[in-house]
């Protein structure tokens, strides 16, 4: 829990306390579905008095607060979670972990390619991890108030309108190129030249499949990615993401990143080309059927 709450926090909550009396809560524009349009209000998650959690939240555990609705039969029944879903590679699980600790040292021998929180480059992600004592949790990766940041999901809205956009998965920082994955899993983010550099083979470096590379750049690949079942994909948006289906199962697609903004042209392989983060049918969270 944070020792001191910011002045802005108190002003916001006092304002909310007042405004709730006059029924103007929606003026504060938390993005859907975490707003009144889905039956969610500030005080669904916050309480002004005797709050057990940091930021005056209703549960001492951030994840348990989320799970209070994101549970079978809860308000967020459509996207449920249980603690037993958390993955342990090679053992079991269907979702990225949400209570694991970041390593104390940054070292390329880390089994997950993770680095120490203090070395993260994104200020917002680093600050959130520090708030939670270097333990990942839902609100490290998600900002439950805002849909502003851009997700990877090729089916999410490509633009953001405050108070209206409801399908960008509440990202903490932009993740359209999997910047979020790469910041924590720093050593997994290898280029082709790093992954094929013999001088790095010193017995401790752990090598990974290259990312950030243009598909078929080395001439090893088919011209367009096939899905996880080996079925052809199409490129309906014309942006080289190949997010279209032939087999009618969008969840098993091997999607590339978005070249439409001109900075990444054409589509490149990223972590989420092969992995999914939640509702996966494999314990290394590889991309396959959505088992929600
Ligand atoms: C779905 C649950 C949820 C809802 C709804 C929600 N909050 Fe939050 N809020 C949280 C959590 C969890 C944190 C602490 C984690 C964080 O900082 O993101 C937080 C943090 C905050 C903070 C301090 C950190 C920051 O973001 O600056 C303020 C201020 C805040 N909330 C205000 C509000 C107000 C005002 C509303 C309603 C208009 C609201 N919240 C609705 C869950 C929620
Ligand atoms: C390591 C980061 C991380 C953690 C921890 C995490 N998430 Fe996510 N979550 C993501 C990302 C990234 C996406 C969007 C993936 C995409 O763009 O395809 C997502 C998507 C979601 C979705 C939308 C899923 C869908 O199929 O529509 C929900 C709901 C969700 N997260 C809730 C949670 C809850 C609740 C927790 C904690 C119990 C949690 N997440 C923990 C990164 C995380
Ligand atoms: C008061 C109930 C409530 C709480 C508490 C709550 N959520 Fe939600 N959340 C919802 C509802 C309702 C939806 C919409 C579910 C649906 O699609 O039917 C939702 C959807 C989401 C989505 C998917 C939105 C999208 O754009 O696809 C994410 C991500 C998410 N919640 C994260 C969180 C996180 C992280 C927390 C904890 C900080 C949390 N939620 C706590 C009610 C809640
Ligand atoms: C905030 C830091 C953070 C972010 C962001 C993050 N991870 Fe992780 N990841 C972790 C930690 C910590 C573990 C658990 C290591 C352990 O169990 O000791 C982990 C574990 C994993 C695992 C192994 C399965 C598991 O859950 O233990 C996979 C696969 C993975 N991450 C992929 C991703 C992908 C893909 C993204 C981007 C969408 C991502 N991670 C984003 C910190 C992060
Ligand atoms: C070309 C596909 C592909 C890409 C790209 C990819 N992964 Fe993986 N990843 C896999 C597969 C397959 C496994 C499971 C390996 C196994 O079971 O031995 C895996 C396993 C993992 C694990 C679990 C630990 C382990 O070794 O089993 C982590 C953590 C992980 N990947 C993180 C990432 C991150 C972070 C990125 C992006 C920087 C990424 N991966 C990019 C396919 C990929």
């Amino acid at each position: 829990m944070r020792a001191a709450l910011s002045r802005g926090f108190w002003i916001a909550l006092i304002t909310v306390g007042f405004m709730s009396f006059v029924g103007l809560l929606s003026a504060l524009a938390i993005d859907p579905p975490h707003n009144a349009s889905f039956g969610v209000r500030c005080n669904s998650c916050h309480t002004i008095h005797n709050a057990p959690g940091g930021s005056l939240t209703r549960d001492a555990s951030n994840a348990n607060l989320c799970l209070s609705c994101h549970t079978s039969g809860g308000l967020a029944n459509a996207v449920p979670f249980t603690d037993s879903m958390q993955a342990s590679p090679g053992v079991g699980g269907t979702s990225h972990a949400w209570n694991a600790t970041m390593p104390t040292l940054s070292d390329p021998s880390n089994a997950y390619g993770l680095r120490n929180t203090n070395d993260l480059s994104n200020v917002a992600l680093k600050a959130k991890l520090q708030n939670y004592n270097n333990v990942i949790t839902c609100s490290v990766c998600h900002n439950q108030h805002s849909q502003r940041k851009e997700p990877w999901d090729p089916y999410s809205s490509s633009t953001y309108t405050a108070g209206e956009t409801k399908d960008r998965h509440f990202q903490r920082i932009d993740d359209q190129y999997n910047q979020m994955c790469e910041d924590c899993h720093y050593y997994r983010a290898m280029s082709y030249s790093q992954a094929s550099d013999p001088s790095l083979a010193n017995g401790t470096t752990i090598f990974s499949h290259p990312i950030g590379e243009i598909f078929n750049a080395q001439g090893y690949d088919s011209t367009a990615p096939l899905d996880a079942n080996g079925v052809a994909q199409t490129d309906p948006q014309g942006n080289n993401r190949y997010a279209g289906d032939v087999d009618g199962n969008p969840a098993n697609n091997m999607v590339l990143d978005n070249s439409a903004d001109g900075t990444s042209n054409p589509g490149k392989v990223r972590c989420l080309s092969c992995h999914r983060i939640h509702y996966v049918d494999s314990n290394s969270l590889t991309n396959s059927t959505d088992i929600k």
Side-chain angles (χ1 to χ4, degrees), residues 39-58:
V40 179
R41 301 198 152 64
C42 307
N43 65 8
S44 307
C45 299
H46 293 282
T47 178
I48 308 219
H49 300 294
N50 300 322
S55 295
L56 302 185
T57 43
R58 288 188 169 273

Side-chain angles (χ1 to χ4, degrees), residues 236-275:
Q237 293 150 318
N239 57 3
N240 294 314
R241 297 199 74 183
Y242 292 98
D245 279 300
V246 172
D247 71 355
N249 178 11
N252 68 5
N253 285 353
M254 300 280 185
V255 180
L256 305 178
D257 76 10
N258 190 359
S259 61
D261 66 3
T263 60
S264 166
N265 188 19
K268 292 176 178 160
V269 176
R270 299 286 176 183
C271 313
L272 292 181
S273 299
C274 302
H275 289 277

Side-chain angles (χ1 to χ4, degrees), residues 33-34 38 40 44-45 62 65-66 68-70 75-76 78-79 138-139 142 144 147 166-170:
H34 282 171
F38 279 73
V40 179
S44 307
C45 299
N62 173 259
L65 174 70
C66 308
S68 67
C69 288
H70 287 268
L75 208 52
V79 271
C138 314
S139 292
H142 292 284
Q144 61 288 323
Q147 298 276 16
K166 59 174 188 225
D167 62 355
R168 284 163 57 111
H169 312 317
F170 292 116

Side-chain angles (χ1 to χ4, degrees), residues 45-116:
C45 299
H46 293 282
T47 178
I48 308 219
H49 300 294
N50 300 322
S55 295
L56 302 185
T57 43
R58 288 188 169 273
D59 200 301
S61 147
N62 173 259
N64 286 350
L65 174 70
C66 308
L67 264 55
S68 67
C69 288
H70 287 268
T71 182
S72 166
L75 208 52
N77 185 49
V79 271
F81 290 84
T82 59
D83 278 330
S84 61
M85 287 163 71
Q86 295 185 76
S88 177
V91 180
T94 56
S95 181
H96 193 284
W98 58 76
N99 70 0
T101 307
M102 296 293 283
T104 47
L105 290 173
S106 294
D107 191 302
S109 67
N110 184 278
Y112 300 89
L114 293 164
R115 59 176 167 175
N116 180 261

Side-chain angles (χ1 to χ4, degrees), residues 3-289:
L5 291 166
S6 73
R7 189 182 149 83
F9 176 85
W10 288 105
I11 291 171
L13 272 170
I14 290 165
T15 309
V16 169
F18 171 73
M19 290 173 72
S20 60
F21 284 109
V22 287
L24 285 174
L25 262 181
S26 58
L28 277 164
I30 294 264
D31 290 327
H34 282 171
N35 66 13
S37 66
F38 279 73
V40 179
R41 301 198 152 64
C42 307
N43 65 8
S44 307
C45 299
H46 293 282
T47 178
I48 308 219
H49 300 294
N50 300 322
S55 295
L56 302 185
T57 43
R58 288 188 169 273
D59 200 301
S61 147
N62 173 259
N64 286 350
L65 174 70
C66 308
L67 264 55
S68 67
C69 288
H70 287 268
T71 182
S72 166
L75 208 52
N77 185 49
V79 271
F81 290 84
T82 59
D83 278 330
S84 61
M85 287 163 71
Q86 295 185 76
S88 177
V91 180
T94 56
S95 181
H96 193 284
W98 58 76
N99 70 0
T101 307
M102 296 293 283
T104 47
L105 290 173
S106 294
D107 191 302
S109 67
N110 184 278
Y112 300 89
L114 293 164
R115 59 176 167 175
N116 180 261
T117 304
N118 293 328
D119 292 333
L120 260 59
S121 56
N122 185 282
V123 175
L125 191 63
K126 182 167 150 176
K128 250 336 129 187
L129 263 172
Q130 286 165 339
N131 282 168
Y132 289 101
N133 296 321
N134 307 320
V135 179
I136 57 167
T137 185
C138 314
S139 292
V140 169
C141 299
H142 292 284
N143 176 354
Q144 61 288 323
H145 301 143
S146 171
Q147 298 276 16
R148 181 179 296 277
K149 300 297 181 185
E150 190 174 347
W152 167 265
D153 187 353
Y155 301 102
S156 291
S157 305
S158 56
T159 55
Y160 168 73
T161 308
E164 283 177 27
T165 304
K166 59 174 188 225
D167 62 355
R168 284 163 57 111
H169 312 317
F170 292 116
Q171 303 291 279
R172 173 62 64 192
I173 67 170
D174 284 330
D175 197 38
Q176 72 273 38
Y177 307 124
N178 296 170
Q179 304 91 308
M180 189 154 73
C181 317
E182 288 186 25
D183 210 355
C184 287
H185 291 275
Y186 177 74
Y187 301 106
R188 286 256 164 176
M190 279 198 159
S191 63
Y192 174 76
S193 59
Q194 281 175 300
S196 48
D197 179 354
S199 74
L200 292 177
N202 54 10
T204 53
T205 300
I206 295 192
F207 287 87
S208 290
H209 189 284
I211 50 104
E213 300 292 346
I214 295 167
F215 200 71
N216 202 28
Q218 310 298 330
Y220 299 156
D221 320 316
S222 65
T223 45
L226 304 176
D227 75 11
N229 298 334
V231 177
Q233 289 177 202
T234 58
D235 188 25
Q237 293 150 318
N239 57 3
N240 294 314
R241 297 199 74 183
Y242 292 98
D245 279 300
V246 172
D247 71 355
N249 178 11
N252 68 5
N253 285 353
M254 300 280 185
V255 180
L256 305 178
D257 76 10
N258 190 359
S259 61
D261 66 3
T263 60
S264 166
N265 188 19
K268 292 176 178 160
V269 176
R270 299 286 176 183
C271 313
L272 292 181
S273 299
C274 302
H275 289 277
R276 285 172 66 88
I277 194 102
H278 305 302
Y279 310 115
V280 284
D281 60 3
S282 88
N283 53 50
S284 279
L285 313 186
T286 36
N287 191 335
S288 192
T289 310

